Amino acid sequence: MTTQRVFSGIQPTGVAHLGNFLGAIKNYVRMQDGHDAVYCIVDLHAVTVPQDPAELRASTLRMGQLLMAAGLDPERCILFVQSQVPQHSQLGWLMETTVSYGELSRMTQFKDKSDRNEFISSALFTYPALQAADILLYDTNFVPVGDDQRQHLELARDAAQRFNSRFGETFVVPEHVIPPVAARIMDLQRPNDKMSKSAEAENGVVMILEDLKSIEKKFKRAVTDSEDEVRFDRENKPGISNLLEILSAVTDKNPVVLAEDYTQYGQLKIDTAEAVISVLQPIQERFAELAADPAETQRLLTIGAEKAREIASVVYERARNNMGFL
Ligand code: TYM
Protein backbone atom coordinates (compact mmCIF):
# COMPACT_ATOMS: atom_id res chain seq x y z
CA MET A 1 0.00 0.00 0.00
CA THR A 2 1.31 3.46 -0.81
CA THR A 3 1.74 5.94 2.03
CA GLN A 4 -1.17 8.31 2.41
CA ARG A 5 -0.56 12.02 2.03
CA VAL A 6 -1.53 14.46 4.76
CA PHE A 7 -1.70 18.21 4.16
CA SER A 8 -2.70 21.13 6.35
CA GLY A 9 -2.20 24.88 6.56
CA ILE A 10 -2.06 27.50 9.29
CA GLN A 11 -2.06 31.28 9.06
CA PRO A 12 1.05 33.00 10.38
CA THR A 13 -0.64 36.16 11.67
CA GLY A 14 -2.52 36.74 14.91
CA VAL A 15 -1.49 34.94 18.05
CA ALA A 16 -1.30 31.16 17.91
CA HIS A 17 -3.51 29.88 20.72
CA LEU A 18 -4.50 26.74 22.56
CA GLY A 19 -7.31 26.07 20.07
CA ASN A 20 -4.80 26.00 17.20
CA PHE A 21 -2.57 23.71 19.21
CA LEU A 22 -5.15 21.18 20.45
CA GLY A 23 -7.44 21.31 17.41
CA ALA A 24 -4.74 21.20 14.75
CA ILE A 25 -1.00 21.39 15.52
CA LYS A 26 -1.07 18.43 17.90
CA ASN A 27 -2.54 16.33 15.10
CA TYR A 28 -0.03 17.61 12.55
CA VAL A 29 2.68 16.30 14.84
CA ARG A 30 0.97 12.96 15.36
CA MET A 31 0.31 12.44 11.65
CA GLN A 32 3.94 12.90 10.69
CA ASP A 33 4.32 9.25 11.58
CA GLY A 34 2.97 6.71 9.16
CA HIS A 35 2.00 9.36 6.60
CA ASP A 36 3.65 11.48 4.00
CA ALA A 37 2.97 14.80 5.71
CA VAL A 38 3.09 18.29 4.18
CA TYR A 39 2.42 21.41 6.27
CA CYS A 40 2.15 24.95 5.01
CA ILE A 41 2.33 28.38 6.62
CA VAL A 42 -0.30 30.15 4.57
CA ASP A 43 0.99 33.70 4.19
CA LEU A 44 -1.01 34.20 0.98
CA HIS A 45 -4.16 33.62 3.01
CA ALA A 46 -2.99 36.04 5.70
CA VAL A 47 -2.88 38.94 3.22
CA THR A 48 -6.58 38.62 2.44
CA VAL A 49 -6.90 41.09 5.31
CA PRO A 50 -4.51 44.08 5.56
CA GLN A 51 -1.05 43.20 6.98
CA ASP A 52 1.99 45.26 7.87
CA PRO A 53 4.89 43.92 5.70
CA ALA A 54 7.51 43.83 8.48
CA GLU A 55 5.07 42.17 10.86
CA LEU A 56 4.01 39.63 8.22
CA ARG A 57 7.63 38.63 7.60
CA ALA A 58 8.36 38.33 11.32
CA SER A 59 5.24 36.38 12.12
CA THR A 60 5.81 33.96 9.23
CA LEU A 61 9.23 33.10 10.60
CA ARG A 62 7.82 32.92 14.13
CA MET A 63 5.16 30.43 13.01
CA GLY A 64 7.90 28.28 11.46
CA GLN A 65 9.75 28.29 14.77
CA LEU A 66 6.58 27.59 16.72
CA LEU A 67 5.60 24.61 14.57
CA MET A 68 9.08 23.13 14.85
CA ALA A 69 9.08 23.76 18.60
CA ALA A 70 5.73 21.96 18.84
CA GLY A 71 7.27 18.90 17.20
CA LEU A 72 7.17 19.26 13.42
CA ASP A 73 10.42 17.78 12.27
CA PRO A 74 11.70 18.87 8.84
CA GLU A 75 13.30 15.43 8.53
CA ARG A 76 9.92 13.73 8.87
CA CYS A 77 7.59 16.17 7.13
CA ILE A 78 7.68 18.93 4.54
CA LEU A 79 7.20 22.29 6.25
CA PHE A 80 7.15 25.37 4.03
CA VAL A 81 5.83 28.87 3.39
CA GLN A 82 3.01 29.08 0.85
CA SER A 83 4.25 32.13 -1.10
CA GLN A 84 7.55 30.35 -1.78
CA VAL A 85 5.73 27.77 -3.89
CA PRO A 86 4.19 29.68 -6.84
CA GLN A 87 1.93 26.79 -7.85
CA HIS A 88 -0.42 27.74 -4.99
CA SER A 89 -1.34 31.05 -6.63
CA GLN A 90 -1.37 29.45 -10.06
CA LEU A 91 -3.71 26.60 -9.16
CA GLY A 92 -5.68 29.03 -6.98
CA TRP A 93 -6.71 30.85 -10.14
CA LEU A 94 -7.83 27.64 -11.82
CA MET A 95 -9.86 26.75 -8.75
CA GLU A 96 -11.54 30.16 -8.84
CA THR A 97 -12.99 29.08 -12.16
CA THR A 98 -14.20 25.86 -10.56
CA VAL A 99 -16.08 27.18 -7.52
CA SER A 100 -19.12 29.39 -7.92
CA TYR A 101 -20.00 32.83 -6.61
CA GLY A 102 -22.97 31.27 -4.84
CA GLU A 103 -20.81 28.72 -3.02
CA LEU A 104 -18.34 31.37 -1.91
CA SER A 105 -21.20 33.61 -0.72
CA ARG A 106 -22.33 30.88 1.66
CA MET A 107 -18.99 30.61 3.51
CA THR A 108 -19.54 31.57 7.13
CA GLN A 109 -15.89 32.55 7.68
CA PHE A 110 -16.19 35.14 4.91
CA LYS A 111 -19.31 36.55 6.51
CA ASP A 112 -17.58 36.75 9.93
CA LYS A 113 -14.40 38.32 8.62
CA SER A 114 -16.10 40.76 6.29
CA ASP A 115 -18.20 42.00 9.20
CA ARG A 116 -15.03 42.70 11.15
CA ASN A 117 -12.97 44.46 8.46
CA GLU A 118 -13.47 47.81 6.81
CA PHE A 119 -11.60 46.97 3.61
CA ILE A 120 -13.03 43.74 2.23
CA SER A 121 -10.62 42.47 -0.42
CA SER A 122 -11.84 40.32 -3.27
CA ALA A 123 -9.20 37.79 -2.13
CA LEU A 124 -11.04 37.42 1.18
CA PHE A 125 -14.04 36.34 -0.85
CA THR A 126 -12.16 33.84 -3.06
CA TYR A 127 -10.01 32.58 -0.15
CA PRO A 128 -11.62 29.08 -0.15
CA ALA A 129 -10.61 28.56 -3.81
CA LEU A 130 -6.97 29.10 -2.82
CA GLN A 131 -7.43 26.78 0.14
CA ALA A 132 -8.78 24.10 -2.23
CA ALA A 133 -5.71 24.60 -4.43
CA ASP A 134 -3.40 24.22 -1.40
CA ILE A 135 -4.86 20.83 -0.62
CA LEU A 136 -5.30 19.52 -4.17
CA LEU A 137 -1.72 20.38 -5.22
CA TYR A 138 -0.37 17.55 -3.09
CA ASP A 139 -2.73 14.69 -4.06
CA THR A 140 -3.84 14.89 -0.45
CA ASN A 141 -5.78 12.07 1.23
CA PHE A 142 -6.27 13.57 4.71
CA VAL A 143 -6.51 17.12 6.03
CA PRO A 144 -6.23 17.53 9.82
CA VAL A 145 -8.17 20.67 10.84
CA GLY A 146 -10.38 22.07 13.57
CA ASP A 147 -14.14 22.17 13.25
CA ASP A 148 -14.23 25.73 11.83
CA GLN A 149 -12.63 24.50 8.58
CA ARG A 150 -15.34 21.92 7.87
CA GLN A 151 -17.16 24.09 5.34
CA HIS A 152 -13.95 25.02 3.48
CA LEU A 153 -13.03 21.34 3.26
CA GLU A 154 -16.44 20.42 1.85
CA LEU A 155 -15.93 23.06 -0.82
CA ALA A 156 -12.46 21.69 -1.65
CA ARG A 157 -13.97 18.23 -2.12
CA ASP A 158 -16.76 19.58 -4.32
CA ALA A 159 -14.26 21.56 -6.38
CA ALA A 160 -12.03 18.49 -6.88
CA GLN A 161 -14.98 16.37 -7.98
CA ARG A 162 -16.30 19.05 -10.32
CA PHE A 163 -12.89 19.57 -11.92
CA ASN A 164 -12.45 15.82 -12.36
CA SER A 165 -15.83 15.40 -13.97
CA ARG A 166 -15.24 18.30 -16.37
CA PHE A 167 -11.63 17.64 -17.31
CA GLY A 168 -10.95 14.00 -16.43
CA GLU A 169 -9.26 12.47 -13.37
CA THR A 170 -6.91 15.16 -12.09
CA PHE A 171 -7.22 15.51 -8.34
CA VAL A 172 -7.44 13.20 -5.37
CA VAL A 173 -10.63 14.00 -3.42
CA PRO A 174 -9.45 14.78 0.14
CA GLU A 175 -11.05 13.91 3.46
CA HIS A 176 -10.94 16.06 6.55
CA VAL A 177 -9.70 14.70 9.88
CA ILE A 178 -11.46 16.54 12.69
CA PRO A 179 -10.54 15.34 16.19
CA PRO A 180 -13.37 13.93 18.37
CA VAL A 181 -12.37 16.26 21.22
CA ALA A 182 -10.82 19.74 21.05
CA ALA A 183 -12.04 20.39 17.49
CA ARG A 184 -13.58 23.59 18.77
CA ILE A 185 -11.90 25.01 21.86
CA MET A 186 -13.97 27.83 23.29
CA ASP A 187 -12.99 31.22 24.68
CA LEU A 188 -12.45 30.95 28.46
CA GLN A 189 -14.43 34.12 29.10
CA ARG A 190 -17.16 33.58 26.52
CA PRO A 191 -17.56 29.80 26.35
CA ASN A 192 -20.21 30.04 23.64
CA ASP A 193 -17.67 31.54 21.20
CA LYS A 194 -14.68 29.71 19.81
CA MET A 195 -11.21 30.71 20.95
CA SER A 196 -9.98 32.91 18.15
CA LYS A 197 -6.88 34.78 17.04
CA SER A 198 -8.89 37.95 16.69
CA ALA A 199 -10.89 37.65 19.91
CA GLU A 200 -11.46 40.94 21.69
CA ALA A 201 -11.66 39.49 25.19
CA GLU A 202 -7.99 38.60 25.55
CA ASN A 203 -8.53 37.00 28.94
CA GLY A 204 -10.39 34.24 27.20
CA VAL A 205 -7.56 33.32 24.84
CA VAL A 206 -4.58 31.23 25.97
CA MET A 207 -1.59 31.78 23.73
CA ILE A 208 0.92 29.01 23.07
CA LEU A 209 3.79 31.34 23.90
CA GLU A 210 2.13 33.03 26.85
CA ASP A 211 3.79 33.55 30.22
CA LEU A 212 2.96 30.45 32.31
CA LYS A 213 1.75 32.43 35.32
CA SER A 214 -0.62 34.32 33.11
CA ILE A 215 -1.98 31.06 31.68
CA GLU A 216 -2.65 29.82 35.19
CA LYS A 217 -4.55 33.01 36.02
CA LYS A 218 -6.68 32.77 32.90
CA PHE A 219 -7.78 29.25 33.81
CA LYS A 220 -8.55 30.26 37.39
CA ARG A 221 -10.76 33.05 36.06
CA ALA A 222 -12.46 30.94 33.41
CA VAL A 223 -16.20 31.53 33.20
CA THR A 224 -18.26 28.52 34.32
CA ASP A 225 -21.89 28.47 35.52
CA SER A 226 -23.90 28.87 38.70
CA GLU A 227 -24.33 25.13 39.38
CA ASP A 228 -21.77 23.07 41.23
CA GLU A 229 -21.82 19.80 39.31
CA VAL A 230 -18.91 18.81 37.07
CA ARG A 231 -20.53 17.19 34.05
CA PHE A 232 -19.59 17.00 30.36
CA ASP A 233 -22.53 18.67 28.64
CA ARG A 234 -21.48 21.04 25.87
CA GLU A 235 -24.90 22.56 25.42
CA ASN A 236 -25.91 23.28 29.00
CA LYS A 237 -22.49 23.62 30.60
CA PRO A 238 -20.24 25.17 27.94
CA GLY A 239 -17.60 26.56 30.32
CA ILE A 240 -17.10 23.37 32.32
CA SER A 241 -17.27 21.21 29.19
CA ASN A 242 -14.61 23.35 27.55
CA LEU A 243 -12.28 22.85 30.52
CA LEU A 244 -12.96 19.11 30.45
CA GLU A 245 -12.33 19.04 26.74
CA ILE A 246 -9.01 20.86 27.12
CA LEU A 247 -7.96 18.52 29.92
CA SER A 248 -9.08 15.56 27.84
CA ALA A 249 -7.08 16.64 24.78
CA VAL A 250 -3.95 17.16 26.85
CA THR A 251 -4.20 13.95 28.88
CA ASP A 252 -5.77 11.72 26.19
CA LYS A 253 -8.53 10.72 28.60
CA ASN A 254 -12.24 10.72 27.88
CA PRO A 255 -13.94 13.97 29.07
CA VAL A 256 -17.00 12.12 30.45
CA VAL A 257 -14.76 9.86 32.53
CA LEU A 258 -12.62 12.82 33.65
CA ALA A 259 -15.71 14.63 34.93
CA GLU A 260 -16.31 11.80 37.43
CA ASP A 261 -13.07 12.69 39.21
CA TYR A 262 -14.30 16.16 40.15
CA THR A 263 -16.70 17.58 42.66
CA GLN A 264 -15.39 21.15 42.54
CA TYR A 265 -14.95 23.63 39.72
CA GLY A 266 -11.85 25.09 41.38
CA GLN A 267 -9.91 21.84 41.30
CA LEU A 268 -10.85 21.24 37.66
CA LYS A 269 -9.50 24.68 36.76
CA ILE A 270 -6.25 24.08 38.64
CA ASP A 271 -5.67 20.66 37.10
CA THR A 272 -6.49 21.87 33.60
CA ALA A 273 -4.07 24.79 33.95
CA GLU A 274 -1.38 22.46 35.22
CA ALA A 275 -1.88 19.96 32.40
CA VAL A 276 -1.80 22.70 29.76
CA ILE A 277 1.33 24.23 31.25
CA SER A 278 3.06 20.86 31.28
CA VAL A 279 2.67 20.56 27.50
CA LEU A 280 3.32 24.20 26.64
CA GLN A 281 6.41 24.70 28.79
CA PRO A 282 8.72 22.41 26.76
CA ILE A 283 7.39 23.97 23.55
CA GLN A 284 8.21 27.42 24.86
CA GLU A 285 11.72 26.34 25.81
CA ARG A 286 12.36 24.83 22.41
CA PHE A 287 10.91 27.93 20.76
CA ALA A 288 13.38 30.13 22.62
CA GLU A 289 16.26 28.00 21.32
CA LEU A 290 15.03 28.16 17.74
CA ALA A 291 14.35 31.89 17.97
CA ALA A 292 18.02 32.42 18.79
CA ASP A 293 18.98 31.21 15.31
CA PRO A 294 16.49 32.61 12.77
CA ALA A 295 18.80 31.83 9.82
CA GLU A 296 18.55 28.12 10.55
CA THR A 297 14.73 28.19 10.50
CA GLN A 298 14.83 30.12 7.23
CA ARG A 299 17.18 27.54 5.77
CA LEU A 300 14.91 24.66 6.80
CA LEU A 301 11.85 26.42 5.37
CA THR A 302 13.67 26.99 2.07
CA ILE A 303 14.47 23.30 1.82
CA GLY A 304 10.82 22.56 2.65
CA ALA A 305 9.68 24.83 -0.19
CA GLU A 306 11.96 23.07 -2.66
CA LYS A 307 10.50 19.70 -1.73
CA ALA A 308 6.96 21.08 -1.89
CA ARG A 309 7.59 22.52 -5.38
CA GLU A 310 8.66 19.10 -6.65
CA ILE A 311 5.26 17.64 -5.78
CA ALA A 312 3.17 20.71 -6.57
CA SER A 313 4.69 21.28 -10.01
CA VAL A 314 3.70 17.80 -11.20
CA VAL A 315 0.09 18.17 -10.03
CA TYR A 316 -0.18 21.69 -11.39
CA GLU A 317 1.07 20.56 -14.83
CA ARG A 318 -1.54 17.79 -14.79
CA ALA A 319 -4.31 20.32 -14.07
CA ARG A 320 -2.97 22.80 -16.65
CA ASN A 321 -2.76 20.14 -19.29
CA ASN A 322 -6.20 18.65 -18.60
CA MET A 323 -7.78 22.09 -18.70
CA GLY A 324 -6.45 22.64 -22.20
CA PHE A 325 -3.73 25.25 -21.82
CA LEU A 326 -1.24 25.30 -24.70
P1 TYM B 1 -6.23 29.04 10.99
O1 TYM B 1 -4.86 29.57 10.78
O2 TYM B 1 -7.31 29.98 11.40
O3 TYM B 1 -6.20 27.89 12.07
C1 TYM B 1 -5.26 26.83 12.03
C2 TYM B 1 -5.91 25.55 12.53
O4 TYM B 1 -6.37 25.73 13.89
C3 TYM B 1 -7.73 25.30 13.99
N1 TYM B 1 -8.42 26.10 15.01
C4 TYM B 1 -9.04 25.58 16.09
N2 TYM B 1 -9.20 24.32 16.51
C5 TYM B 1 -9.87 24.12 17.67
N3 TYM B 1 -10.40 25.13 18.41
C6 TYM B 1 -10.28 26.42 18.02
N4 TYM B 1 -10.79 27.40 18.76
C7 TYM B 1 -9.56 26.69 16.80
N5 TYM B 1 -9.25 27.82 16.14
C8 TYM B 1 -8.55 27.44 15.05
C9 TYM B 1 -8.31 25.53 12.61
O5 TYM B 1 -9.45 24.74 12.37
C10 TYM B 1 -7.14 25.15 11.71
O6 TYM B 1 -7.11 23.76 11.47
N6 TYM B 1 -8.15 28.49 6.35
C11 TYM B 1 -7.23 27.92 7.34
C12 TYM B 1 -5.80 27.77 6.82
C13 TYM B 1 -5.64 26.98 5.57
C14 TYM B 1 -5.77 25.58 5.43
C15 TYM B 1 -5.44 25.30 4.07
C16 TYM B 1 -6.11 24.55 6.31
C17 TYM B 1 -5.28 27.47 4.36
N7 TYM B 1 -5.17 26.47 3.46
C18 TYM B 1 -5.48 23.99 3.58
C19 TYM B 1 -6.14 23.23 5.80
C20 TYM B 1 -5.82 22.97 4.45
C21 TYM B 1 -7.17 28.82 8.56
O7 TYM B 1 -7.41 30.00 8.47
O8 TYM B 1 -6.70 28.22 9.70
Side-chain angles (χ1 to χ4, degrees):
M1 214 182 87
T2 53
T3 316
Q4 306 258 281
R5 169 81 35 78
V6 166
F7 178 92
S8 201
I10 186 163
Q11 296 203 47
T13 48
V15 288
H17 55 71
L18 193 60
N20 298 128
F21 179 69
L22 297 178
I25 299 172
K26 195 167 170 268
N27 294 318
Y28 304 169
V29 176
R30 190 172 54 80
M31 293 182 92
Q32 283 179 119
D33 296 319
H35 299 96
D36 192 352
V38 182
Y39 300 117
C40 180
I41 302 168
V42 294
D43 55 350
L44 295 172
H45 280 96
V47 297
T48 56
V49 297
Q51 300 292 346
D52 171 69
E55 178 48 29
L56 176 65
R57 213 179 336 266
S59 58
T60 303
L61 184 63
R62 202 158 52 231
M63 182 53 82
Q65 291 158 338
L66 179 66
L67 292 171
M68 288 186 211
L72 290 191
D73 175 0
E75 299 274 317
R76 287 190 293 153
C77 70
I78 298 177
L79 175 62
F80 72 101
V81 175
Q82 188 183 28
S83 65
Q84 296 183 352
V85 178
Q87 287 80 9
H88 285 258
S89 320
Q90 292 175 311
L91 187 64
W93 181 254
L94 306 194
M95 297 324 291
E96 281 191 41
T97 70
T98 312
V99 300
S100 75
Y101 180 84
E103 283 169 321
L104 292 172
S105 307
R106 287 192 287 277
M107 294 291 125
T108 53
Q109 289 227 325
F110 172 72
K111 290 183 201 159
D112 289 349
K113 287 194 186 177
S114 54
D115 281 346
R116 266 190 268 124
N117 286 287
E118 222 167 89
F119 179 82
I120 304 164
S121 71
S122 55
L124 186 65
F125 185 66
T126 58
Y127 177 120
L130 180 61
Q131 180 160 346
D134 298 340
I135 298 165
L136 302 180
L137 269 179
Y138 296 90
D139 286 339
T140 302
N141 303 104
F142 301 117
V143 188
V145 282
D147 183 67
D148 62 353
Q149 296 301 314
R150 197 181 284 273
Q151 203 186 20
H152 288 167
L153 263 292
E154 277 307 316
L155 185 62
R157 284 172 61 84
D158 290 347
Q161 276 158 346
R162 191 173 300 148
F163 194 104
N164 287 348
S165 72
R166 279 191 197 157
F167 303 113
E169 274 312 301
T170 308
F171 298 125
V172 172
V173 180
E175 280 172 40
H176 60 58
V177 179
I178 296 179
V181 288
R184 195 174 188 83
I185 295 296
M186 306 310 249
D187 187 288
L188 298 186
Q189 289 298 316
R190 290 171 303 167
N192 288 310
D193 296 339
K194 76 169 181 190
M195 192 177 282
S196 151
K197 282 175 176 166
S198 45
E200 291 132 36
E202 262 193 34
N203 275 337
V205 179
V206 173
M207 296 172 284
I208 299 175
L209 296 176
E210 184 163 346
D211 173 71
L212 300 175
K213 279 266 166 269
S214 160
I215 293 181
E216 195 184 337
K217 263 193 218 147
K218 285 184 178 175
F219 275 104
K220 283 192 176 152
R221 290 182 195 152
V223 167
T224 52
D225 53 56
S226 54
E227 298 178 1
D228 59 4
E229 186 197 3
V230 178
R231 175 164 48 91
F232 187 63
D233 177 349
R234 283 191 185 117
E235 205 166 304
N236 299 306
K237 298 177 77 68
I240 288 296
S241 301
N242 192 38
L243 292 173
L244 285 167
E245 208 159 338
I246 293 170
L247 185 60
S248 158
V250 177
T251 59
D252 284 323
K253 289 185 186 150
N254 182 301
V256 180
V257 175
L258 278 173
E260 292 167 6
D261 292 343
Y262 292 94
T263 50
Q264 283 178 358
Y265 288 3
Q267 194 58 45
L268 174 63
K269 289 180 178 182
I270 291 170
D271 288 1
T272 307
E274 216 170 84
V276 166
I277 287 170
S278 74
V279 293
L280 294 188
Q281 189 168 19
I283 295 175
Q284 293 188 359
E285 286 166 8
R286 177 108 186 87
F287 177 84
E289 285 167 28
L290 292 165
D293 188 358
E296 176 60 6
T297 301
Q298 287 215 42
R299 188 184 73 84
L300 293 169
L301 290 172
T302 306
I303 296 173
E306 279 163 18
K307 292 185 193 159
R309 275 198 296 272
E310 269 174 40
I311 306 170
S313 58
V314 174
V315 181
Y316 177 66
E317 271 312 306
R318 201 194 296 150
R320 213 181 91 72
N321 190 46
N322 290 358
M323 219 173 164
F325 290 104
L326 188 63

